[in-house]
Amino acid sequence: MPKELEEMDMTRDEAADKLESIADDLRGDGPFDVNVANRTVHLSPPRDIGVEIGVRETSSLLRGSREAFTVKLDWKPE
């Protein structure tokens, strides 16, 4: 299945709301749906999942400084 990716600009509050919504779904006991790029994806995480957190800082004379924070969650569906 192809990877679904959606990029957008939002305020810090909007980004926090989006992450909190996903976190609330993840705290539940069963499967949940996530909307990405005009598509609804049904996810079925088990009790234990893999977590990867990364931070990247770059600096360029032409492009200026950038920071990126990524969170990756992965699992085999139940």
Side-chain angles (χ1 to χ4, degrees), residues 14-69:
E14 290 169 333
D17 289 344
K18 179 76 168 172
L19 291 172
E20 286 173 348
S21 174
I22 293 169
D24 287 344
D25 288 337
L26 196 56
R27 280 189 188 95
D29 291 331
F32 60 93
D33 294 334
V34 174
N35 297 317
V36 178
N38 295 323
R39 181 168 175 238
T40 300
V41 180
H42 187 73
L43 301 175
S44 301
R47 182 176 170 272
D48 295 319
I49 62 174
V51 178
E52 179 180 301
I53 298 174
V55 176
R56 182 177 57 205
E57 300 172 289
T58 58
S59 181
S60 168
L61 290 175
L62 298 176
R63 298 175 72 198
S65 297
R66 303 277 301 169
E67 297 173 335
F69 175 80

